[in-house]
Amino acid sequence: MTTSFPATVNTTRHRFLFPALATLLIIGWSSGFVGIRYASEEASVAVLLFWRTLLSGIILLPFALAFGPKMQLRAVVSQMGFGVMAVFIYLGGFALAIEQHVPTGLVALMSDLVPLVIAAMSQPLLGERLTGRQWVGTAVAVGGVLIVSFDSLSFGTAPLWAYGVTIGSMIVFALASVLRSGRGSLNMPVHQSLCIHSLTGAALFGIWGLAAGGLEPPITREFAIGMAWLVLIATFAAYSVYYTMLRLFPVAKVSAAIYLSPPVTMLWAWMLFSEPLTPAMFLGLAVTLAGVWLTSKS
């Protein structure tokens, strides 16, 4: 079955739309590092993710109820299922892996291999056949990610199941992205779907946090700054642009932009925290850019 995408972009009229949206996506996606850096030392993973998703959902709720079509129960249930996969399992899985001392560099590398799994899933599930050039571009982009991440890779001392959680979370998010692109019931306005996803995640993270000891947030400047960053940029900007792009472009093309997240994250770290940049990082960025260009070029 071949899936047709509404407004799959006319390259003559919309040649700048994909680069513009991809730029916003990369900035929002990679900026999650900043919020985590500010807030993670102040609270547990469950508390951090509970307040991130709860605040996001509460802010969006009035707009979701007042603007857009009336939300039908069936559509809401479908969106809740996607929220479990793309918010609770994906964010919670990686956060739990880090909490269990899986090295952050290894977690980031596995997270940013999502586009490779999406590319593999999109043909059998959606009928989106990648060309030979796109597979070459995917391989080049993976190579760039490996170059950027090489210095930070280690296996650490985490339990074996924590590594399985890392891989499983990545696969679940890839599957959720493919299923979202192929199901009309998930094509409600972005502010409504993101509200449902956030509140679903908040309910599940709340249960996790209560079981772990409580949900009281720390009243500190660092936690407040990190939470504002996570809600406004890493959630509203990143997820809204991602969901919008999934409605406009083939899912494998959209996900290719995520390969640029590791090098851009390192630029964030350099600008905000004075973390060093190495020649390998710039080489990896150039290689990744070439791979993304090959994969997304019409």
Side-chain angles (χ1 to χ4, degrees):
M1 177 183 73
T2 301
T3 301
S4 61
F5 291 85
T8 295
V9 179
N10 182 307
T11 56
T12 302
R13 295 178 57 193
H14 304 291
R15 67 179 62 183
F16 299 114
L17 181 58
F18 179 81
L21 290 176
T23 300
L24 293 175
L25 175 65
I26 295 160
I27 292 173
W29 206 271
S30 61
S31 70
F33 170 84
V34 178
I36 293 293
R37 176 69 177 266
Y38 271 108
S40 61
E41 294 183 1
E42 304 292 324
S44 68
V45 165
V47 170
L48 175 64
L49 294 178
F50 168 74
W51 285 103
R52 171 182 175 175
T53 51
L54 180 65
L55 291 174
S56 300
I58 289 176
I59 292 171
L60 287 172
L61 185 58
F63 301 96
L65 295 175
F67 302 101
K70 183 178 180 180
M71 293 181 285
Q72 303 297 322
L73 179 60
R74 181 178 179 181
V76 170
V77 172
S78 295
Q79 294 287 354
M80 289 175 66
F82 186 84
V84 171
M85 298 172 73
V87 176
F88 179 68
I89 294 178
Y90 179 65
L91 294 180
F94 282 114
L96 179 61
I98 292 174
E99 192 173 60
Q100 292 295 318
H101 306 296
V102 176
T104 304
L106 187 59
V107 171
L109 175 61
M110 293 305 305
S111 173
D112 292 308
L113 292 181
V114 162
L116 181 62
V117 179
I118 288 178
M121 289 181 177
S122 59
Q123 181 173 334
L125 294 180
L126 297 179
E128 293 181 10
R129 185 181 298 275
L130 271 68
T131 65
R133 185 198 68 246
Q134 288 175 312
W135 278 116
V136 171
T138 297
V140 171
V142 171
V145 172
L146 288 171
I147 292 172
V148 170
S149 306
F150 181 78
D151 288 339
S152 64
L153 291 185
S154 63
F155 286 98
T157 58
L160 186 61
W161 63 264
Y163 296 94
V165 167
T166 307
I167 297 170
S169 299
M170 179 266 292
I171 294 174
V172 167
F173 184 78
L175 178 61
S177 298
V178 173
L179 293 178
R180 178 182 176 83
S181 187
R183 293 185 63 182
S185 63
L186 289 171
N187 284 335
M188 66 169 54
V190 171
H191 65 285
Q192 292 181 327
S193 60
L194 186 56
C195 176
I196 296 170
H197 301 163
S198 297
L199 292 177
T200 301
L204 296 172
F205 287 129
I207 295 171
W208 178 6
L210 288 173
L215 296 172
E216 183 178 355
I219 310 301
T220 65
R221 174 176 165 273
E222 290 75 14
F223 185 82
I225 293 174
M227 194 55 55
W229 196 285
L230 286 171
V231 170
L232 298 177
I233 300 179
T235 299
F236 288 171
Y239 275 87
S240 296
V241 172
Y242 186 65
Y243 293 164
T244 299
M245 292 180 73
L246 287 178
R247 297 181 63 178
L248 297 177
F249 303 96
V251 63
K253 180 175 181 177
V254 174
S255 64
I258 298 175
Y259 283 126
L260 288 169
S261 177
V264 173
T265 296
M266 290 175 183
L267 291 176
W268 276 113
W270 171 68
M271 290 186 296
L272 295 174
F273 307 119
S274 300
E275 293 188 6
L277 293 176
T278 66
M281 293 177 186
F282 289 103
L283 175 61
L285 175 59
V287 173
T288 304
L289 279 169
V292 172
W293 179 77
L294 284 171
T295 303
S296 61
K297 183 176 182 295
S298 299

